Amino acid sequence: MNYQEIGNHTKVTEFILVGLSQQPASQIALFWALLFVYLVTLLGNSAIIVAVMGESRLHTPMYFFLSNLSILDLLFSTSTVPLIMMNALWDFPTISYNDCFTQLAIRAFLALTECFLLAIMAYDRYVAISTPLHYSVVMSVRVCRGLALASWTVAFLVTVIPILTVPVSFCGRNAINHFSCEVQAIFKLLCSDTALLEGLMMASAIISMPVPLAFILASYLRILIAVLRIHPTKARLKAFSTCGSHLTTVSIYFGTLIYIYLKPQNKEPQGQDKIFSIFYAAVTPMLNPLIYTLRNKDMKSTLRKVILRTKSWR
């Protein structure tokens, strides 16, 4: 983002992250809680990536997109959680202006990519259930790679355009009432006209959240119609059960995003924003591998093989 000074105000070169600096005991508890969550996130998502790469039975579109989701969760968690953990050990830590907006851009890019990827995964389930005989043709390796690349590319463009085109100004206030450079917290520090920025942010939010979510809902409506035509009932339940993990992930992810980014903005800091931000940044990437492995027999079987191979090497 461009920067310009206003009047006699001092140029902002760094930000102070307030976090839980006024609650030392809570800071230590937050550090250990995040350490546990981050280690589980690394282990769970890495296990899925290794399992999908190493097991030929999992070389299908569904697991290809699942491994992409795990990569996204690893990158997103790593871009945020370690910094919050480190800041939890200090009172009122600082972050430079450039580092702050770099972190903000990376987080936004990864978050938007996951929105598009979850929509693609819904489409994959729709094709698998509605046209199973043509599934391998419709969701070929080339198509899967193209869809995954498109989700990363569109998310990058939607993230970069607002950041590079809209100038912002800070009126000397540089205390961010958050654990990291969260867009809502930074928004409260702006003193320049935010009409254009708000418009671009809303457009980006519509492209990256309601549109993919509407596509997901439409896909599952079609899936429901297709499943109801399947007989007998046992086969019908088996077909729809393959969507359970994805539906759970979509509900948690989009539910948290909608609360954080689509609610009305105000200038007053709100404590619950911090809690939901921690849940979104740390807990959600940890839950995804647990959701998919606990409900998926093929994944559990493959992970058992990986564990047995690891033990045998020792």
Side-chain angles (χ1 to χ4, degrees), residues 40-41 43-45 47-48 62-63 66 69-70 73 114 118 121 220 241-254 256 279 282-300 303:
V40 174
T41 301
L43 180 62
N45 286 289
I48 287 180
M62 183 179 76
Y63 293 107
L66 178 57
L69 182 64
S70 292
D73 285 336
E114 187 156 340
L118 288 173
M121 292 173 75
Y220 273 105
S241 67
T242 62
C243 305
S245 298
H246 182 256
L247 274 173
T248 304
T249 299
V250 167
S251 300
I252 294 173
Y253 188 78
F254 278 94
T256 308
F279 182 87
V283 180
T284 302
M286 178 190 71
L287 291 178
N288 286 344
L290 296 178
I291 292 169
Y292 278 96
T293 55
L294 291 177
R295 296 178 58 91
N296 190 299
K297 294 181 180 179
D298 290 337
M299 185 62 68
K300 287 190 287 187
L303 290 176

Side-chain angles (χ1 to χ4, degrees), residues 1 15 95-106 163 168 170 181 186 190:
M1 287 188 177
F15 294 99
I95 183 172
S96 71
Y97 180 92
N98 291 333
D99 288 347
C100 182
F101 280 98
T102 298
Q103 183 194 65
L104 189 152
I106 291 174
I163 291 178
V168 296
F170 297 89
C181 291
I186 294 176
L190 297 177

Side-chain angles (χ1 to χ4, degrees), residues 43-91:
L43 180 62
N45 286 289
S46 298
I48 287 180
I49 295 170
V50 171
V52 173
M53 292 179 61
E55 180 60 54
S56 58
R57 184 176 54 174
L58 300 183
H59 292 174
T60 64
M62 183 179 76
Y63 293 107
F64 169 74
F65 293 127
L66 178 57
S67 63
N68 267 261
L69 182 64
S70 292
I71 292 172
L72 276 172
D73 285 336
L74 278 176
L75 293 175
F76 187 82
S77 183
T78 300
S79 70
T80 305
V81 177
L83 178 64
I84 297 176
M85 290 169 54
M86 182 176 65
N87 290 340
L89 300 176
W90 299 87
D91 292 331

